[in-house]
């Protein structure tokens, strides 16, 4: 009998010790064996399991960082896990985590969910004796024939949920946060969304452990972690832009030109889709407050200087109304029922709009005697539920900006073809006028007729003058239609003007008058010399006057024709813009 009692005590001791060890192992499942914050109190995330649940370490072994078994947990190298999220998240919204596995070089996942070697990947240090790294499809087929059994449960004993593609889900992902864990199966990537209603505002850590399926147990192959933020304020950012502003990131903008403020709310789970959102702007220039339900607004500063702008975003989110404490009125005497509109307040965080509600007063009458009247207790009963309960959330933005003078507008006021004697190529002078400050640089981009393919870009410094009027000479490579973009800029602004220019093929180049006179003078001298020679010959050979006259006329005609051909020849090889100034 004593032996039986002693044996029972031993078994009970072993059971208690194993239970304690199980708890320790469960707490060591954290990232790289880090101890979990089990002593802290966290509200249970819906659908998650607390750390106090049992963990089957035989089925899901937990290895600490530096354990030698990590080196041999995957064939052909190491698997990396990349964990990302769409944080930050507003309390009450959903936050989504995504895990992607990166396999060793020359390994990939095929359509069946098996891991195979990529034949297109060159790896001289390894010979592909087998196509598969892990052939789970063959393993499942063998199990269906009775050669093995499936292990289809998570660390806490819950069974795998049924999926149509369960054959391809060969990885188990175990997410851990706030001393709780959640398990799911998947392929080489997995996505998990959780609601943040019960998560404390602040910065939290999400960890994921990835196991590969095997016959008798599942082996860890990768771990990853990522910080995420849960906030009570609406996450937002503001995109500030302005026409002709050179650099919006420097927060320097132009006077007398509208500035556009585009508010972007970070709401990837569409938690605010049904909320009433308002935007309250103060621009810091004494113009007052501007309230709108449009995230896009604009404002024009008419003064120079530094200004501080503030934005408050309010979102009234429809939500369930928490119980309201009933109000007990002071005992009084009533003889009839009435209808009233009570005012109700609560401390639940709800903003409540109560409509008129019908109330009944229950009266208890005392005996009809001549002594002091009997007091009656009146109870306020709300027979219609309150409507219009909202959860108010706010977001804030503040920025300091500087307003300066700048180039507000640019116009091409005149275009003139340049004379070929002044330019070697077809050139046009562009006269550009602007409003605002004086530019310091000018750039011209010449593109094709569709304004999509740049052909030439020229930038020059602008000589400082008292007025904004610049003349730019630009050359074109040949006839055709060109898109011309001219920008004038200073330190804070950059303004653009565009036009289409049609360049025609030139007719010819006129010969300068001075050269023509010299050429004709030489021809005249030659004609006189020829005439003198012919006169002497006629005297020696008794030439008649008619022959002399024919020869002289023929010589003159030949010379004139030569001059004419020479001029025409030069015209054909000299391109010139023939169109008038301003032709577009």
């Amino acid at each position: 009998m004593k032996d039986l009692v002693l044996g029972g005590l031993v078994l009970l001791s072993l059971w208690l010790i194993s239970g304690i060890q199980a708890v320790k192992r469960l707490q060591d499942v954290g990232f790289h064996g880090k101890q979990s914050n089990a002593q802290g109190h966290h509200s249970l995330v819906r659908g998650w399991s607390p750390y106090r649940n049992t963990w089957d370490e035989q089925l899901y072994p937990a290895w600490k960082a530096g354990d030698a078994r990590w080196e041999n947990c995957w064939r052909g190298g190491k698997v990396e896990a990349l964990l990302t999220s769409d944080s930050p998240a507003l309390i009450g919204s959903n936050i989504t985590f995504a895990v992607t596995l990166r396999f060793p070089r020359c390994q990939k996942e095929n359509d069946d969910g098996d891991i195979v070697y990529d034949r297109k990947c060159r790896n001289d240090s390894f010979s592909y004796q087998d196509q598969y790294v892990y052939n789970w499809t063959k393993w499942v087929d063998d199990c269906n024939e009775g050669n093995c059994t499936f292990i289809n449960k998570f660390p806490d004993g819950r069974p795998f949920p049924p999926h149509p593609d369960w054959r391809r889900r060969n990885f188990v992902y175990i997410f851990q946060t706030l001393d709780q864990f959640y398990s799911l199966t998947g392929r080489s990537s997995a996505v998990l969304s959780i609601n943040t209603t019960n998560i404390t505002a602040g910065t939290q850590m999400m960890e994921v452990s990835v196991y590969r399926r095997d016959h008798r147990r599942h082996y860890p192959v990768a771990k990853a972690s990522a910080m995420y933020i849960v906030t009570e304020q609406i996450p937002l950012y503001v995109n500030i832009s302005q026409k002709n502003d050179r650099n919006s990131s420097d927060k320097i903008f132009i006077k007398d030109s509208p500035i556009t403020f585009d508010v972007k709310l970070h709401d990837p789970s569409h938690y605010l889709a049904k909320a009433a959102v308002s935007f309250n702007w103060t621009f810091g220039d004494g113009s007052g407050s501007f309230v709108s339900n449009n995230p896009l607004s604009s404002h024009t500063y008419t003064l120079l200087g530094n200004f501080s702008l503030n934005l408050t975003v309010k979102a009234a989110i429809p939500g369930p109304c928490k119980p309201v404490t009933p109000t007990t009125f002071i005992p009084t005497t009533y003889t009839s029922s009435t209808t009233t509109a009570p005012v109700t307040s609560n401390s639940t965080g709800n903003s409540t709009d109560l409509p008129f509600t019908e109330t009944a007063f229950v009266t208890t009458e005392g005996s009809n005697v001549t002594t002091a009247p009997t007091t009656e207790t009146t109870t306020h009963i709300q027979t219609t539920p309150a409507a219009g309960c909202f959860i108010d959330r706010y977001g804030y933005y503040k920025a300091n900006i500087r307003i300066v003078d700048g180039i507000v507008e640019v116009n091409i006021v005149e275009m003139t073809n340049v004379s070929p004697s002044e330019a070697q190529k077809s050139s046009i002078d562009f006269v550009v006028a602007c409003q605002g400050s004086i530019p310091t640089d000018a750039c011209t981009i010449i593109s094709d007729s569709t304004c999509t393919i740049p052909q030439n870009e020229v930038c020059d410094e602008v000589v400082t003058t008292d007025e904004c009027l610049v003349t730019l000479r630009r050359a074109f490579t040949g006839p055709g239609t060109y898109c011309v973009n001219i920008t004038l800029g200073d330190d804070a602004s950059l303004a653009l003007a565009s036009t289409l220019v049609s360049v025609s093929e030139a007719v010819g180049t006129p010969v300068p008058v001075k050269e023509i006179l010299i050429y004709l003078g030489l021809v005249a001298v030659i004609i006189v010399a020829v005439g003198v020679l012919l006169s002497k010959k006629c005297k020696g050979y008794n030439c008649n006057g008619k022959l002399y006259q024919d020869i002289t006329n023929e010589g003159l005609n030949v010379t004139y024709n030569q001059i004419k051909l020479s001029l025409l020849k030069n015209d054909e090889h000299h391109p010139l813009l023939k169109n008038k100034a301003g032709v577009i």
Side-chain angles (χ1 to χ4, degrees):
M1 185 66 179
K2 292 182 179 180
D3 294 338
L4 292 175
V5 172
L6 182 61
L9 292 174
V10 171
L11 291 175
L12 179 61
S13 300
L14 292 175
W15 180 80
L16 292 174
I17 293 173
S18 63
I20 295 173
Q21 291 177 345
V23 173
K24 289 183 178 180
R25 294 191 191 110
L26 182 57
Q27 294 175 352
D28 288 341
V29 172
F31 184 62
H32 291 317
K34 182 177 59 179
Q35 292 289 335
S36 66
N37 188 21
Q39 67 274 13
H41 174 72
H42 300 282
S43 299
L44 187 63
V45 180
R46 188 174 184 179
W48 286 55
S49 300
Y51 267 11
R52 63 177 177 268
N53 284 18
T54 58
W55 181 286
D56 190 343
E57 192 178 7
Q58 294 295 327
L59 186 59
Y60 290 88
W63 299 340
K64 295 183 179 181
D67 195 311
R69 289 174 291 184
W70 283 107
E71 300 296 328
N72 300 317
C73 66
W74 189 268
R75 298 172 188 168
K78 292 184 178 181
V79 177
E80 296 180 357
L82 178 63
L83 177 62
T84 59
S85 73
D86 55 8
S87 168
L90 181 65
I91 285 184
S93 67
N94 291 342
I95 183 170
T96 301
F97 298 88
V99 187
T100 303
L101 299 183
R102 293 179 178 177
F103 300 109
R105 185 173 179 269
C106 299
Q107 295 184 13
K108 66 177 183 179
E109 184 185 39
N110 64 8
D111 295 337
D112 295 328
D114 299 320
I115 308 301
V116 298
Y117 291 107
D118 187 359
R119 298 289 180 176
K120 298 180 181 179
C121 176
R122 181 175 178 83
N123 191 348
D124 296 334
S125 61
F126 184 82
S127 59
Y128 301 112
Q129 299 178 357
D130 186 7
Q131 177 185 357
Y132 292 91
V133 182
Y134 291 99
N135 189 352
W136 286 294
T137 301
K138 184 176 183 299
W139 167 52
V140 171
D141 292 339
D142 290 342
C143 289
N144 287 334
E145 296 175 0
N147 297 326
C148 64
T149 58
F150 292 109
I151 304 176
N152 294 331
K153 62 180 181 178
F154 291 119
D156 57 354
R158 293 185 300 111
F160 289 169
H163 288 285
D165 61 340
W166 64 271
R167 288 173 173 266
R168 301 178 179 88
R169 293 173 173 261
N170 297 306
F171 294 96
V172 179
Y173 297 85
I174 302 175
F175 294 86
Q176 306 167 59
T177 188
L178 304 176
D179 296 339
Q180 304 167 50
F181 67 92
Y182 184 87
S183 305
L184 57 86
T185 59
R187 299 185 59 174
S188 59
S189 62
V191 177
L192 174 67
S193 294
I194 61 175
N195 187 267
T196 59
T197 300
N198 294 331
I199 297 180
T200 305
T203 302
Q204 309 292 352
M205 173 74 76
M206 175 64 76
E207 305 168 1
V208 61
S209 300
V210 185
Y211 288 77
R212 64 172 175 85
R213 299 181 62 183
D214 206 288
H215 294 278
R216 292 186 176 86
R217 64 174 59 183
H218 305 312
Y219 291 93
V221 295
K223 288 193 175 188
S225 65
M227 306 295 293
Y228 66 96
I229 299 174
V230 178
T231 176
E232 293 180 339
Q233 296 185 2
I234 302 173
L236 60 90
Y237 70 93
V238 180
N239 182 25
I240 307 177
S241 61
Q242 184 185 43
K243 181 182 178 181
N244 299 338
D245 180 45
R246 192 155 198 165
N247 182 12
S248 60
S249 62
D250 61 4
K251 297 298 193 309
I252 299 177
F253 300 95
I254 308 168
K255 183 173 75 74
D256 297 328
S257 180
I259 302 176
T260 301
F261 303 91
D262 190 5
V263 184
K264 302 292 186 182
L265 304 182
H266 182 72
D267 185 31
S269 65
H270 307 289
Y271 177 61
L272 302 176
K274 297 182 179 180
V277 183
S278 62
F279 305 86
N280 189 340
W281 283 99
T282 55
F283 297 102
D285 58 350
S287 58
S289 179
F290 175 74
V291 182
S292 171
N293 58 1
N294 191 341
L296 190 66
S297 60
S298 64
H299 183 73
T300 301
Y301 287 87
T302 59
L303 301 175
L304 302 177
N306 298 320
F307 301 92
S308 178
L309 56 90
N310 292 272
L311 168 67
T312 300
V313 179
K314 178 183 178 181
I317 307 167
C321 294
K322 296 183 180 180
V324 179
T325 304
T327 303
T328 302
F329 291 91
I330 299 174
T332 184
T333 302
Y334 293 96
T335 58
S336 62
S337 62
T338 182
T339 301
T340 183
V343 178
T344 306
S345 63
N346 62 70
S347 58
T348 59
N350 296 332
S351 60
T352 308
D353 294 332
L354 289 179
F356 282 98
T357 57
E358 185 175 341
T359 58
F361 296 93
V362 180
T363 304
T364 303
E365 298 181 357
S367 58
N368 189 9
V369 294
T370 59
T371 56
T374 305
T375 59
E376 302 164 350
T377 303
T378 304
T379 304
H380 172 212
I381 303 174
Q382 182 175 315
T383 59
T384 304
C389 291
F390 300 92
I391 302 173
D392 293 335
R393 299 295 183 189
Y394 296 88
Y396 304 95
Y397 174 80
K398 182 177 180 180
N400 296 317
I401 63 175
R402 182 183 176 188
I403 304 300
V404 299
D405 284 321
I407 303 173
V408 178
E409 186 177 359
V410 172
N411 294 299
I412 301 173
V413 297
E414 185 179 353
M415 294 184 295
T416 306
N417 294 327
V418 180
S419 173
S421 61
E422 302 179 25
Q424 296 180 352
K425 294 183 178 181
S426 302
S427 302
I428 296 179
D429 283 344
F430 296 89
V431 180
V432 185
C434 63
Q435 297 179 8
S437 61
I438 305 301
T440 58
D441 55 80
C443 290
T444 304
I445 299 178
I446 300 176
S447 308
D448 65 336
S449 58
T450 62
C451 299
T452 57
I453 304 177
Q455 298 181 357
N456 187 23
E457 180 177 0
V458 179
C459 292
D460 300 306
E461 294 184 359
V462 176
V463 179
T464 304
T465 58
D466 296 335
E467 60 179 351
C468 185
L469 194 67
V470 182
T471 301
L472 304 173
R473 175 169 294 182
R474 296 297 181 251
F476 298 86
T477 57
T481 302
Y482 298 90
C483 176
V484 180
N485 293 324
I486 298 176
T487 56
L488 301 182
D490 57 11
D491 293 337
S493 58
L494 190 69
L496 169 69
S498 300
T499 185
L500 286 175
V501 176
S502 180
V503 178
S504 303
E505 188 172 1
V507 174
T509 303
V511 181
V513 178
K514 184 178 180 180
E515 296 182 6
I516 294 176
L517 294 177
I518 295 174
Y519 190 72
L520 292 177
L522 292 175
V523 171
V525 172
I526 294 173
I527 292 175
V528 172
V530 171
V532 172
L533 291 176
L534 291 176
S535 177
K536 291 181 179 181
K537 288 184 178 181
C538 287
K539 290 180 180 180
Y541 291 98
N542 194 17
C543 298
N544 56 32
K546 183 178 180 182
L547 178 61
Y548 175 78
Q549 185 178 2
D550 293 339
I551 295 175
T552 303
N553 292 336
E554 183 179 355
L556 290 173
N557 290 333
V558 171
T559 304
Y560 174 77
N561 290 331
Q562 290 176 349
I563 296 173
K564 182 178 179 181
L565 290 174
S566 177
L567 292 175
L568 291 175
K569 184 177 181 181
N570 291 335
D571 288 343
E572 293 173 354
H573 290 80
H574 198 300
L576 173 66
L577 285 175
K578 188 178 180 181
N579 54 323
K580 297 181 180 179
V583 176
I584 297 177

